[in-house]
Amino acid sequence: MTDIPQPGPGDAARAEQEFRQFYRANYDAVRRWVRWEAPDVDDEEIAADAFFKTWERWGRVAEPRPFVFRVARHGMLNGRRKARRQAPPVAPDDGHAALVPPPADGHTRREFHEALHEVDRLPPQLREAVKLDAFGLSIGEIAEVIGCGKKTVSNYLWQARQRLSCPGAAAGGDDRSGGSDPGGRQDRGDA
C-alpha cells in the first residue's frame, strides 16, 4: 500500500495566496454581475458565498473563474426565487448602475438607458450571455457558467448583436434573416 503525500505547510500558504489574488481580481466583477442580473437579491452575500464555495474546492477546480460565476449564478437564481416570494419587485433601472454609472450629459445618459433597455428585452439566454461577455468572460467561461457549448454561446452572442443592431428585433421578433420580411420568406425561397 502506498502513502498519499499530504500537502505541507508551504503548499497551504501558496494555495491561500493564489486564492487571495483570485479573490481580489474577481470579487467586484462577480458582485456587480449578480447585482446587474438580480438587483432584488443581496449581491454581496451571494458573491461571498460563491467565493467561499470556491475556496472549499480550491485546488480541485480546474477553472476557478467560471466556477465562481456558476456558483454565484445558482445563488442568484435561488435568491431571486426567495425574493419573489418575500418582497415587491425592484425597478429595472436600479440594476444598471451596478455595471456602469450613467453618463453625466443628458443626451448620452438617455442613449445609455435605451441601450440597457434593449439588452433587457433580449430573450433570457441571449441577455445572460451578453451580460457575462460584458464582464469579460471568455466564450468558454460563459459556456461553463450557463452550462452549454462554446458554439451555443457564440451563437447567442451573434443573435444578440443581430437583434441589438436591428431596431425592434430585441422585442422578440423572429426575423432571423435580418431583412424587412417578418417571415423571412424571401430568404427561404417560398415567397
Side-chain angles (χ1 to χ4, degrees):
M1 188 179 265
T2 60
D3 291 329
I4 298 173
Q6 298 296 319
D11 293 336
R14 184 174 42 254
E16 185 175 342
Q17 181 62 29
E18 289 172 359
F19 181 78
R20 286 179 188 273
Q21 289 174 341
F22 172 76
Y23 177 87
R24 281 192 295 271
N26 293 286
Y27 178 80
D28 284 337
V30 170
R31 186 188 52 76
R32 287 192 332 254
W33 175 68
V34 169
R35 184 166 178 221
W36 189 22
E37 271 294 306
D40 53 340
V41 300
D42 186 347
D43 57 314
E44 290 181 11
E45 180 181 341
I46 290 171
D49 187 53
F51 277 91
F52 177 75
K53 289 177 180 175
T54 303
W55 170 243
E56 287 181 322
R57 290 161 183 80
W58 194 255
R60 296 187 313 252
V61 174
E63 297 290 333
R65 189 167 185 231
F67 179 82
V68 76
F69 271 89
R70 186 173 60 244
V71 172
R73 178 178 185 250
H74 290 288
M76 174 185 62
L77 294 172
N78 288 335
R80 275 183 180 161
R81 284 189 286 269
K82 183 179 178 182
R84 268 193 299 250
R85 291 188 303 262
Q86 295 176 347
V90 175
D93 288 341
D94 292 350
H96 299 310
L99 179 62
V100 175
D105 95 58
H107 179 70
T108 306
R109 186 179 318 119
R110 187 176 67 246
E111 288 177 347
F112 174 79
H113 283 291
E114 288 171 3
L116 290 174
H117 180 69
E118 289 301 313
V119 168
D120 281 343
R121 292 176 56 201
L122 290 170
Q125 71 275 13
L126 303 184
R127 182 176 56 240
E128 185 171 26
V130 166
K131 288 181 177 182
L132 287 166
D133 182 59
F135 277 98
L137 272 71
S138 70
I139 288 176
E141 290 172 330
I142 295 169
E144 193 169 327
V145 170
I146 62 178
C148 66
K150 292 178 185 178
K151 289 188 178 204
T152 302
V153 171
S154 294
N155 189 31
Y156 286 167
L157 293 173
W158 180 83
Q159 286 180 33
R161 276 190 224 93
Q162 294 299 310
R163 290 179 183 221
L164 293 171
S165 67
C166 298
D174 195 24
D175 183 11
R176 294 183 182 141
S177 68
S180 60
D181 180 22
R185 286 184 291 273
Q186 293 174 343
D187 291 339
R188 291 196 313 254
D190 53 337

